Amino acid sequence: MRIGICGLGTVGSGAFNLLRDNGAEITRRIGRDISIAQVGCRRGHPDCDLSSADVTRDIFEVAENPDVDIVLELIGGTDDAKRLVLQAIAAGKHVVTANKALIAEHGDEIFAAAAKSGVQVRYEAAIAGGIPIVKAVREGLAANRIGWLAGIINGTSNYILTEMSKPGSNAAFAAVLKDAQDLGYAEADPTFDVEGIDAAHKLTILSSVAFGVPLRFDAIYTEGISEITTQDIEYARELGYAIRHLGITSSDGDAVELRVHPCLVAMDHMLAQVNGVMNAVMVSGDAAGPTLYYGAGAGSGPTASAVIADVIDIVRSKGVDTLANLGFTALDDRRVVDITEITTSAYLRLMVADEPGVMARISTILSQHKISIEALIQKNAQGDDAHVVIITNDVLEKDLNAAMEELASLKETKDEIARIRVAAF
Ligand code: HSE
């Protein structure tokens, strides 16, 4: 099989060098050579020796090159990437991509085109870098009815939260984000990381792979970490929780929950132990029970590992797609549950005037909405103001929204009320 690499950035250079370094071992595994027929890139990469490669500045030439069997779309973005992938598919080539936005937003169209052309589209590298999570769900857990999947799938957000959690940390959000950018983890536009969009792209794909439902990026609930403060992290710790940014999807066979937001995770839960830029995904199947996958979610080597494994799968399958693109031969168009219909326990932080009777008014409002309090702490905040931190019992989001509106309208309430949902699995 001959591949054409489009894009020679972090992932493309990693794939190029991985084939050079491990080519003999890969051939020993699969009994065939994988050669690079062409590289499409605007400029070279300092880590890649392109002296014996056929290099073109026009990536679309790779899609049409008769010597290329598999096109690696590693340019990122959605416009040129979509055009490139559709052109390659129309030319009868298999496609391997690391592009989560492309698959989450245009996957249905791309998979339909691939089915029509009888070629494969693989995207393991799009989610959680070096962790073979698509393979684990589509193949390893293929005998299960998946109940839920939850994970830390954005390394930048996890790095920022971990840094902010260090004891005595006054780390300002912007300074920590700058570190994550310097480490090379953040997206070109870091808003995608901190506002949860990157995680939403990844969870959209994982949900479809887990439940065999169409890709519903349009319906996912997305909240990032930009409102989380070091005080929230401190209060959560005092109450026995870490704060993690999670993607959560579940299905009862009828509807699908699809949400990305910060969560309180019990300190002794395995996901609370996942620190720095690392990713981890838990998947629960009815036969296997909960399983956990952990590893580097980005970076040249880990992402290239997933890209080349996809190439190897195509070679091993001799180009015949036995799995279909999402791992189901027929998709089930289940309803995506609106966030207001979700039931969780929640952390609330209110800034209130520290006056007699405030606590009574807060608990009256909560009880009027049939919300009971699981834990409560009060701390001096600034001047005569206090922070009241509450963990509720399980409550329907709609009821909590109504209660929060009333709490916000109390004359003693000084600021916006922070709400962080508690993870319960
Ligand atoms: N920006 C992503 C992250 C890179 O921080 O996880 C991998 O998709």
Side-chain angles (χ1 to χ4, degrees):
M1 281 279 185
R2 297 152 308 171
I3 64 170
I5 300 180
C6 295
L8 208 60
T10 306
V11 184
S13 63
F16 183 92
N17 288 334
L18 188 58
L19 273 180
R20 180 199 59 199
D21 297 341
N22 289 0
E25 183 69 351
I26 292 169
T27 301
R28 198 166 71 87
R29 283 188 194 273
I30 64 176
R32 287 176 72 179
D33 287 333
I34 297 171
S35 60
I36 300 172
Q38 196 170 33
V39 177
C41 58
R42 284 201 199 101
R43 64 191 78 84
H45 190 283
D47 295 341
C48 298
D49 174 9
L50 296 173
S51 53
S52 56
D54 173 1
V55 181
T56 171
R57 287 174 66 85
D58 178 8
I59 49 166
F60 297 101
E61 196 185 314
V62 181
E64 300 291 340
N65 185 337
D67 291 334
V68 169
D69 303 301
I70 306 174
V71 170
L72 275 49
E73 183 283 296
L74 307 174
I75 60 171
T78 43
D79 295 344
D80 281 352
K82 183 178 172 195
R83 202 180 125 208
L84 175 75
V85 164
L86 290 175
Q87 196 171 323
I89 290 170
K93 299 179 195 314
H94 306 292
V95 171
V96 172
T97 179
N99 193 328
K100 53 242 160 173
L102 179 72
I103 298 299
E105 294 178 32
H106 305 288
D108 291 332
E109 182 183 347
I110 289 169
F111 295 151
K116 202 163 147 218
S117 284
V119 296
Q120 299 185 44
V121 176
R122 300 236 174 192
Y123 47 84
E124 180 70 73
I127 308 137
I131 306 175
I133 188 64
V134 174
K135 188 173 270 290
V137 178
R138 286 202 323 180
E139 298 175 45
L141 298 174
N144 289 255
R145 234 181 253 277
I146 306 294
W148 55 264
L149 178 154
I152 294 168
I153 46 180
N154 182 266
T156 302
S157 296
N158 205 54
Y159 176 79
I160 292 171
L161 290 175
T162 308
E163 287 299 304
M164 288 170 74
S165 308
K166 292 197 170 150
S169 166
N170 281 320
F173 188 84
V176 186
L177 171 60
K178 170 83 174 53
D179 284 350
Q181 285 174 303
D182 292 346
L183 280 174
Y185 261 71
E187 295 298 301
D189 174 359
T191 326
F192 274 59
D193 296 299
V194 296
E195 298 304 346
I197 301 157
D198 176 77
H201 281 140
K202 293 166 179 167
L203 190 73
T204 297
I205 305 170
L206 284 178
S207 181
S208 292
V209 168
F211 304 118
V213 292
L215 295 151
R216 290 300 310 276
F217 181 68
D218 61 315
I220 190 166
Y221 176 79
T222 307
E223 210 182 285
I225 59 161
S226 55
E227 304 294 321
I228 302 289
T229 65
T230 48
Q231 273 174 325
D232 288 324
I233 293 174
E234 197 52 49
Y235 296 151
R237 193 195 337 258
E238 212 169 297
L239 292 159
Y241 296 92
I243 298 184
R244 291 286 177 267
H245 187 254
L246 298 185
I248 301 173
T249 183
S250 64
S251 182
D252 54 6
D254 188 23
V256 180
E257 277 193 23
L258 192 55
R259 52 195 168 104
V260 159
H261 54 72
C263 276
L264 261 63
V265 180
M267 208 58 99
D268 59 358
H269 193 285
M270 283 183 286
L271 289 180
Q273 319 302 323
V274 177
N275 292 313
V277 291
M278 300 309 279
N279 282 197
V281 183
M282 284 190 89
V283 189
S284 181
D286 58 353
T291 55
L292 175 67
Y293 310 86
Y294 169 90
S300 184
T303 314
S305 160
V307 167
I308 300 302
D310 274 348
V311 171
I312 290 170
D313 269 352
I314 294 172
V315 175
R316 279 184 167 150
S317 67
K318 296 190 169 53
V320 178
D321 193 353
T322 52
L323 284 172
N325 297 108
L326 291 168
F328 287 80
T329 53
L331 299 184
D332 187 7
D333 198 359
R334 295 178 197 170
R335 183 176 72 90
V336 177
V337 177
D338 189 80
I339 191 73
T340 56
E341 297 170 50
I342 292 200
T343 298
T344 62
S345 149
Y347 161 106
L348 303 179
R349 171 180 43 79
L350 295 84
M351 170 90 94
V352 294
D354 195 1
E355 289 165 8
V358 181
M359 202 64 95
R361 279 190 276 284
I362 293 172
S363 50
T364 302
I365 291 175
L366 290 175
S367 72
Q368 279 165 349
H369 289 274
K370 298 193 173 42
I371 298 168
S372 69
I373 296 172
E374 188 178 294
L376 184 147
I377 49 178
Q378 180 178 337
K379 298 274 181 185
N380 284 336
Q382 57 198 34
D384 290 335
D385 296 337
H387 272 153
V388 172
V389 177
I390 296 166
I391 299 211
T392 69
N393 278 337
D394 275 353
V395 53
L396 187 65
E397 183 106 356
K398 203 186 311 189
D399 295 340
L400 187 57
N401 289 349
M404 284 173 69
E405 233 174 81
E406 279 186 44
L407 290 170
S409 68
L410 283 177
K411 69 176 184 345
E412 294 89 351
T413 303
K414 294 295 178 80
D415 219 342
E416 254 185 58
I417 302 171
R419 173 237 310 266
I420 309 173
R421 299 167 187 89
V422 179
F425 44 79

